[in-house]
Amino acid sequence: MIKNISDEYVYKKEVDWSLFNYGFAIPIEYQVMFRQVADRFIQRGESKDITLYLNGKSYKAKLNNNRIDKKFGPHADIVQIRYSQNSELAQALRGYFQRSYAYISMMKRLQEKGSKKHISLPEDFKEYLAVYTTEYDDTYVLETIGSQDIEILRNIIAGQSERTMEAQFNFDMKDDTAGCKEKEQIVKIRKLNKKIGDNLKRLYGYRCQICGKLIGEEYGSHVAEAHHIDYFVRSLNNDASNQIILCPNHHSIIHDVDPVFDRTRLLYTYANGVEEKLVLNRHL
């Protein structure tokens, strides 16, 4: 059994056919902690054995570094976690995500023979596998987030303010109103959300993406907050693509005024006509 898990976020993989059969790719350009591990553990073109822990049980897999030269663009860098269709891990994942596996299998049977069209889960079916680092470069922890976990969270946060919810994520505040039966699901999703936000804070050096300022540096402190573009209490979307890093001032103003974010132009438009474009962007 592994001890002293360092618990840094690597990736949140949406459940799909590849996960049940042969593995998944990890785009590492935005995964700050994983890039540090991968660069010292595995070189371009290499494949190494790794251990994955799921609910306390260990499984064997391969880490493949298939990274493409930077000249092909900023989104080319990936590594892959691979295992066979008949492996213990693939079988375990089908067991944990039985509902998703049954749905995707059914849709595969209905597809035309030879079709490679990607099958996405319906919104209320969506499930995820979170990957975290440990103190060992060749060992990772997997955590399942099922549709039931998400539904429990949805019911608990109904009616809560976005500002309160984001404060819990940013500052690790706990909500003790939930019953014991619900706490495991809440903790899993809160931890995932906080880890994604923490990774983004590192990516931007704790600077605000709107004003570029590093708040608190003169006091030996870095104060930055993760904000959900589409409010989490409505979307339950904690992906990096739905989070930006803000200074406390801009975060408070956005929640007070509720401006509209234009994803194409990467700017906020306020009710009084003021527009603010992101001055820092490495992940949207």
Side-chain angles (χ1 to χ4, degrees):
M1 186 70 179
I2 119 178
K3 297 181 180 180
N4 301 321
I5 295 172
S6 63
D7 212 22
E8 294 293 349
Y9 167 72
V10 172
Y11 188 51
K12 185 180 82 169
K13 168 66 178 173
E14 184 176 321
V15 168
D16 61 9
W17 186 248
S18 69
L19 185 78
F20 293 131
N21 289 280
Y22 45 82
F24 52 95
I26 301 177
I28 64 169
E29 62 267 24
Y30 306 137
Q31 309 303 335
V32 180
M33 295 307 299
F34 185 68
R35 185 165 62 241
Q36 293 174 4
V37 173
D39 283 349
R40 68 172 179 256
F41 175 60
I42 186 169
Q43 302 301 311
R44 178 174 288 135
E46 286 187 340
S47 177
K48 289 196 174 182
D49 294 329
I50 58 171
T51 300
L52 302 172
Y53 276 84
L54 178 59
N55 280 354
K57 184 175 179 180
S58 66
Y59 299 90
K60 296 300 181 184
K62 290 278 187 182
L63 184 68
N64 298 334
N65 186 339
N66 295 325
R67 288 183 285 171
I68 303 171
D69 194 282
K70 286 292 185 184
K71 68 182 179 181
F72 293 104
H75 299 287
D77 285 5
I78 60 169
V79 294
Q80 296 171 319
I81 289 178
R82 285 286 183 254
Y83 40 85
S84 73
Q85 186 178 25
N86 298 320
S87 66
E88 288 188 1
L89 179 57
Q91 294 176 47
L93 291 170
R94 291 176 205 140
Y96 281 113
F97 297 116
Q98 290 182 32
R99 188 185 185 203
S100 294
Y101 182 61
Y103 176 87
I104 295 175
S105 297
M106 178 189 70
M107 296 303 292
K108 292 286 282 186
R109 289 193 295 270
L110 294 175
Q111 279 186 340
E112 292 183 14
K113 190 173 181 180
S115 173
K116 294 184 178 180
K117 184 179 178 181
H118 178 76
I119 298 170
S120 295
L121 291 165
E123 202 58 43
D124 60 344
F125 269 64
K126 286 188 185 297
E127 299 184 300
Y128 302 92
L129 186 72
V131 185
Y132 296 93
T133 64
T134 71
E135 61 181 315
Y136 306 111
D137 292 348
D138 62 350
T139 304
Y140 300 87
V141 169
L142 306 178
E143 198 161 72
T144 58
I145 299 176
S147 56
Q148 184 182 24
D149 298 327
I150 297 170
E151 187 58 32
I152 288 172
L153 181 69
R154 190 189 304 277
N155 293 334
I156 290 169
I157 69 174
Q160 288 194 34
S161 76
E162 179 72 7
R163 198 69 173 105
T164 300
M165 183 59 58
E166 286 192 336
Q168 293 176 5
F169 293 145
N170 278 292
F171 305 112
D172 212 17
M173 296 166 56
K174 296 182 179 179
D175 179 4
D176 293 323
T177 61
C180 292
K181 196 175 180 180
E182 302 162 331
K183 282 185 178 177
E184 181 182 346
Q185 286 86 352
I186 298 170
V187 167
K188 279 199 296 187
I189 295 175
R190 179 186 289 121
K191 179 181 81 172
L192 176 61
N193 199 98
K194 186 176 188 304
K195 294 296 182 183
I196 293 172
D198 287 348
N199 253 11
L200 289 174
K201 291 172 188 177
R202 294 188 187 101
L203 181 66
Y204 290 102
Y206 299 89
R207 293 183 181 276
C208 176
Q209 286 185 248
I210 292 180
C211 64
K213 292 180 179 178
L214 180 60
I215 302 299
E217 186 174 25
E218 61 268 40
Y219 306 104
S221 174
H222 296 147
V223 183
E225 299 175 1
H227 170 72
H228 294 84
I229 299 169
D230 298 323
Y231 284 2
F232 184 82
V233 293
R234 296 193 296 262
S235 68
L236 295 187
N237 181 356
N238 58 11
D239 291 344
S241 60
N242 191 42
Q243 295 192 46
I244 60 174
I245 302 306
L246 302 174
C247 65
N249 284 348
H250 269 107
H251 200 186
S252 295
I253 289 168
I254 284 174
H255 277 289
D256 183 53
V257 183
D258 198 18
V260 176
F261 187 70
D262 184 330
R263 285 184 175 271
T264 304
R265 300 165 64 200
L266 295 178
L267 61 76
Y268 275 105
T269 301
Y270 297 82
N272 64 357
V274 171
E275 292 185 343
E276 281 192 306
K277 188 175 177 63
L278 300 186
V279 299
L280 299 175
N281 179 47
R282 294 177 61 190
H283 79 288
L284 294 178

